[in-house]
């Protein structure tokens, strides 16, 4: 069993903007597959949309939407943080902090965001007023996560820091080795009961006690080879999914690895990179590959059950399951629906005013998408 290497590292990290389709500006990326005139364009219904929540046009970072009860909390790169009624889409409070590198997390009473200047900020969920803020070991790379009475965040300098959610008092912190070159952003830690699964930019995952920070085990899930630093990128940028005591870890360049949480044993791995993320049901993983294809993998052994190129190069969001169908957005503002058993494209509907952020929130048989122009949409099928 491998021990996760945890140490203070004083090495500058070159953060490469984006990955896959979430670059901003001109690229030499392949031409996206066009939407066929014969595609069903009415399968997706927009329950509501809300605009004027800020702007994230010039970012390739991940800005996920948090929710508690009937309220959504939305952040944008320009520092805007807002509350939205999840049923009606009506805007609630709005506030402004420093430019942001993360989306929102909430414990119901407070809303947490991480700023470009390296601060963790806690806002009142009732009115958006600042409750506390604290300095971090560098700019955050991930959205904060809530673990019981603590809030946890990763930074570009390799720190995993934990704070008392109500007061901002520091609890424990680890400095994890970082590579010289990595993709900007990263996957947030995942709370698993009393423990914490921590992805890193070196293709490592660490399993820690969330209360004390003690390391339970570490495992290498990616070991790319190549003649350049870019070829050897091992970033884990999408959140691992936990199911039946197995962690399914999407690695940006090299694919998905299945790891037992019980003993750190790697059960299987695939070879096609995943940036935006994956979702699971009882028997399969549904994966958005970095080339825009969608695939279904067996949870048992990782074998490909089907792969669709119908959305090739459309730079997809994390796929989610709604009413037993796969729903995924793209960087032109379309929402697509696919049959989960065959991968057949069932419909494509123009929803967003611009391309969508990589992360998607599922909510009571619907999905919430955020686009780069600061608009949020709740859709159903």
């Amino acid at each position: 069993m491998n021990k996760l290497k945890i140490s203070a590292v004083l090495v500058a990290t070159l953060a490469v903007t984006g990955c896959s389709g979430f670059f901003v500006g001109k690229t030499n990326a392949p031409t996206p597959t066009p939407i066929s005139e014969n595609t069903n364009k009415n399968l997706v219904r927009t329950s509501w949309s809300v605009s004027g929540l800020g702007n994230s046009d010039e970012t390739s970072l991940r800005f996920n939407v948090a929710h508690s009860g009937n309220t959504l909390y939305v952040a944008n790169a320009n520092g805007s943080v807002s509350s939205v009624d999840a049923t009606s889409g009506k805007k609630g409070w709005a506030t402004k902090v420093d430019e942001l590198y993360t989306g929102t997390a909430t414990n119901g009473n407070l809303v947490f965001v991480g700023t470009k200047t390296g601060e963790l900020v806690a806002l009142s969920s009732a009115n958006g007023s600042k409750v506390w803020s604290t300095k971090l070991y560098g700019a955050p790379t991930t959205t904060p996560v809530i673990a019981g009475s603590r809030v946890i965040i990763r930074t570009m300098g390799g720190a995993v820091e934990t704070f008392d959610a109500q007061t901002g008092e520091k609890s424990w912190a680890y400095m994890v080795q970082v590579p010289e070159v990595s993709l900007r952003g990263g996957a947030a830690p995942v709370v698993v009961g009393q423990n914490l699964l921590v992805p890193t930019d070196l293709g490592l995952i660490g399993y820690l006690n969330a209360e004390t920070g003690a390391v339970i085990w570490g495992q290498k899930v990616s070991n790319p080879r190549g003649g350049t630093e870019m070829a050897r990128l091992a970033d884990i940028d999408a959140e691992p999914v936990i199911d039946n005591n197995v962690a399914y870890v999407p690695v940006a360049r090299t694919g998905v690895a299945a790891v037992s949480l019980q003993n750190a044993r790697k059960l299987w791995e695939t070879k096609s990179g995943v940036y935006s993320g994956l979702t699971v049901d009882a028997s399969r993983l549904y994966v958005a590959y970095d080339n825009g294809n969608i695939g279904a993998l067996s949870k048992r052994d990782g074998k490909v059950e089907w792969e669709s190129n119908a959305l090739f190069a459309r730079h997809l969001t994390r796929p989610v399951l709604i009413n037993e169908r796969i729903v995924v957005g793209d960087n032109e503002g379309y929402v697509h629906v696919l049959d989960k058993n065959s991968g057949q494209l069932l419909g494509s509907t123009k929803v967003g005013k611009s391309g969508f952020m990589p992360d998607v929130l599922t909510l009571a048989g619907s999905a919430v998408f955020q686009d780069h122009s600061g608009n949020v949409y709740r859709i159903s099928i």
Side-chain angles (χ1 to χ4, degrees), residues 159-190:
V160 180
E161 301 185 65
T162 68
F163 303 88
D164 183 283
Q166 295 305 121
T167 66
E169 181 181 356
K170 182 168 287 189
S171 176
W172 55 262
Y174 269 123
M175 297 295 289
V176 181
Q177 186 177 6
V178 295
E180 293 185 3
V181 178
S182 69
L183 300 170
R184 182 182 292 175
V190 181

Side-chain angles (χ1 to χ4, degrees), residues 12-87:
T13 299
L14 173 62
V16 181
T17 302
C19 179
S20 185
F22 296 96
F23 287 101
V24 174
K26 295 181 179 180
T27 77
N28 60 352
T31 302
T33 300
I35 304 299
S36 169
E37 290 295 326
N38 299 322
T39 300
N40 184 342
K41 297 179 175 61
N42 301 309
L43 191 55
V44 175
R45 301 183 297 275
T46 302
S47 302
W48 53 256
S49 64
V50 58
S51 59
L53 302 181
N55 189 285
S56 295
D57 278 345
E58 298 303 318
T59 185
S60 58
L61 296 171
R62 308 179 84 104
F63 281 80
N64 64 301
V65 177
H67 76 100
S68 178
N70 197 46
T71 305
L72 307 177
Y73 301 99
V74 182
N76 274 283
N78 70 341
S80 298
V81 186
S82 309
S83 69
V84 176
D85 185 279
T87 300

Side-chain angles (χ1 to χ4, degrees), residues 19 183 200-204 220-226 229-238 249-258 266 268-276 278 287-291 297 302:
C19 179
L183 300 170
T200 76
D201 294 332
L202 284 171
L204 291 164
K220 185 83 169 176
V221 295
S222 174
N223 190 29
R225 302 180 184 277
E229 292 288 348
M230 288 295 291
R232 293 191 295 271
L233 287 173
D235 295 52
I236 302 167
D237 286 295
V249 185
V251 186
R253 294 295 192 197
T254 59
V256 180
K266 190 188 296 186
W268 52 258
E269 60 184 324
T270 66
K271 301 298 183 185
S272 297
V274 178
Y275 173 72
S276 57
L278 54 84
V287 178
Y289 294 113
D290 59 3
N291 65 0
L297 308 175

